[in-house]
Amino acid sequence: TFLSDVMNADPQVVHHVHESGLAGSFFRLLMGKEGDREGRREPPLEPSGELVMALPNVLTALSLTEAGAKEVKEANPFPALLSLFTSPKYAMPDSRCLLNEMSAMVGTGLDELMRHNPTLRPVCLGAVVRAMERVAELGKRLLSDEDDAAPTDSADGRRGFDAETRRTHLVQYGYNLAQLLEQILHNEDHVAPFVASDGFDALLEMARWAVAPGGRSLVAHVTCIGGAGASATGSTTAGTLAALAKQVVSNTNDPHELIKKISSQLELQLKHHCQCVRSFTLEVHEFTCDNLLGSIPPLPLYKLGDSAEDVQTVHSVSRLFRSTLHVEWLTNCLADSIKA
């Protein structure tokens, strides 16, 4: 904060900050000594909300001059900055530093940075998209691990707890990036480079893999609500991503291409949905809703224990609920985009 205040008060100081090595020290503080340009390593910063909030302001101040902006672009600290929002070190229950709309405030800071320095827009938005892709990949990997997991027993309890912790972190990552992205994409100037960086594809992938919970927790939640509808998860992230998809389609030069991408995703998801349904009705030659319901045991969830059969039942129901939620999300997203 002190560094950004000094440079904002007198932009001529920016040159001396870069020449003296202060800027380099700041980049090493954020990126580590080896210079993490991909945002893949554990961030070295302490999990402090005030520190995280100050980072975009310092980057903006370091870019007040043309030469300064060039130095920032060359250093490219944005992947390291975005990695804060996809690291368990900064997520609950380990840290509370990203609570209180911290991700939205960082998004506002990045929006201001790109508005004043259009040359930094491609690298900054590219880092945002790579962070979204990382969250989608983490979600895909978690679902794969849950699918491959054997029935839990006393020796396997730790793996079940690890999956629950990973799911908790994943939901936070998705929420943080959705809030950050909302502040960036309200500026129409950022939409075209966002799409050019494959941002719309990353948005659809993140909605697929990193929004809804999974496993027994999803089944319990949906059955308590009374149906696997869009409101079943109570997900702010799902609503935010849907609004962002509509906003991007409305402000792009080629909305038909993006609508085709949503339609393609919906077609793939419907095929997956059919596979989920067939997992219940393998012994039935003709599919009906009655046959599907008849394949699900009419038992309260607490009576389904840790046997292989019960675990498989809960897993199949969870896959069906997740697929239903995503089909509904894509359908609503497609309809809203066409209307826009």
Side-chain angles (χ1 to χ4, degrees):
T1 302
F2 172 75
L3 190 60
S4 62
D5 288 344
V6 170
M7 289 185 287
N8 283 318
D10 184 2
Q12 294 182 0
V13 175
V14 175
H15 170 75
H16 299 290
V17 170
H18 282 282
E19 286 295 319
S20 66
L22 277 175
S25 297
F26 171 76
F27 293 143
R28 286 190 293 274
L29 172 68
L30 179 57
M31 303 166 65
K33 293 181 179 179
E34 298 179 0
D36 185 9
R37 290 175 176 266
E38 299 296 327
R40 291 285 182 176
R41 303 190 187 97
E42 185 71 21
L45 283 176
E46 288 298 316
S48 165
E50 293 182 358
L51 182 57
V52 173
M53 185 170 57
L55 295 176
N57 297 331
V58 177
L59 291 174
T60 300
L62 288 171
S63 307
L64 285 174
T65 64
E66 184 177 350
K70 185 177 179 180
E71 292 283 346
V72 172
K73 184 176 182 179
E74 185 177 341
N76 192 14
F78 301 106
L81 171 60
L82 270 299
S83 71
L84 304 180
F85 299 95
T86 61
S87 169
K89 178 180 176 181
Y90 300 86
M92 291 281 287
D94 298 325
S95 173
R96 302 169 61 88
C97 70
L98 297 182
L99 298 181
N100 302 319
E101 305 299 327
M102 185 60 64
S103 52
M105 287 186 275
V106 172
T108 301
L110 292 177
D111 169 49
E112 181 180 356
L113 170 69
M114 290 185 286
R115 280 192 290 109
H116 292 298
N117 300 277
T119 58
L120 296 177
R121 190 178 290 149
V123 290
C124 185
L125 288 175
V128 173
V129 173
R130 299 294 88 77
M132 296 168 65
E133 291 173 344
R134 173 169 167 75
V135 171
E137 180 60 33
L138 289 173
K140 189 184 301 185
R141 197 180 308 158
L142 175 56
L143 276 178
S144 176
D145 290 346
E146 288 175 342
D147 288 345
D148 295 339
T152 56
D153 53 31
S154 57
D156 219 14
R158 192 172 128 187
R159 179 165 60 184
F161 174 78
D162 178 63
E164 190 69 27
T165 303
R166 289 166 63 189
R167 175 68 60 187
T168 300
H169 287 158
L170 183 66
V171 170
Q172 294 177 72
Y173 301 158
Y175 175 82
N176 289 336
L177 286 180
Q179 296 300 308
L180 183 145
L181 198 60
E182 187 176 26
Q183 301 305 311
I184 291 176
L185 292 182
H186 83 281
N187 188 331
E188 296 180 9
D189 293 337
H190 302 329
V191 172
F194 175 75
V195 174
S197 299
D198 297 327
F200 194 75
D201 300 84
L203 189 152
L204 294 179
E205 285 295 296
M206 199 168 81
R208 180 182 180 185
W209 300 107
V211 172
R216 197 179 187 94
S217 59
L218 175 61
V219 176
H221 193 71
V222 169
T223 51
C224 288
I225 295 295
S231 61
T233 58
S235 173
T236 304
T237 306
T240 301
L241 292 178
L244 288 171
K246 177 182 177 182
Q247 187 173 347
V248 171
V249 171
S250 302
N251 295 310
T252 189
N253 296 326
D254 191 2
H256 299 291
E257 185 64 28
L258 300 188
I259 290 175
K260 283 168 58 179
K261 289 186 176 184
I262 301 174
S263 180
S264 177
Q265 281 268 7
L266 179 57
E267 184 178 356
L268 291 174
Q269 188 61 35
L270 286 172
K271 291 180 180 178
H272 174 70
H273 193 67
C274 289
Q275 294 175 358
C276 294
V277 170
R278 290 194 188 99
S279 68
F280 289 98
T281 57
L282 290 177
E283 299 178 358
V284 180
H285 297 293
E286 182 181 0
F287 168 73
T288 66
C289 291
D290 289 337
N291 290 337
L292 174 60
L293 292 173
S295 303
I296 302 175
L299 293 172
L301 187 60
Y302 72 88
K303 286 190 176 181
L304 295 176
D306 294 336
S307 68
E309 183 179 358
D310 288 348
V311 169
Q312 182 58 43
T313 297
V314 172
H315 174 68
S316 297
V317 173
S318 172
R319 288 181 71 234
L320 179 64
F321 284 170
R322 273 186 61 88
S323 181
T324 302
L325 288 168
H326 194 52
V327 166
E328 183 177 9
W329 186 89
L330 285 169
T331 303
N332 292 335
C333 190
L334 180 61
D336 290 341
S337 298
I338 292 173
K339 292 175 184 178

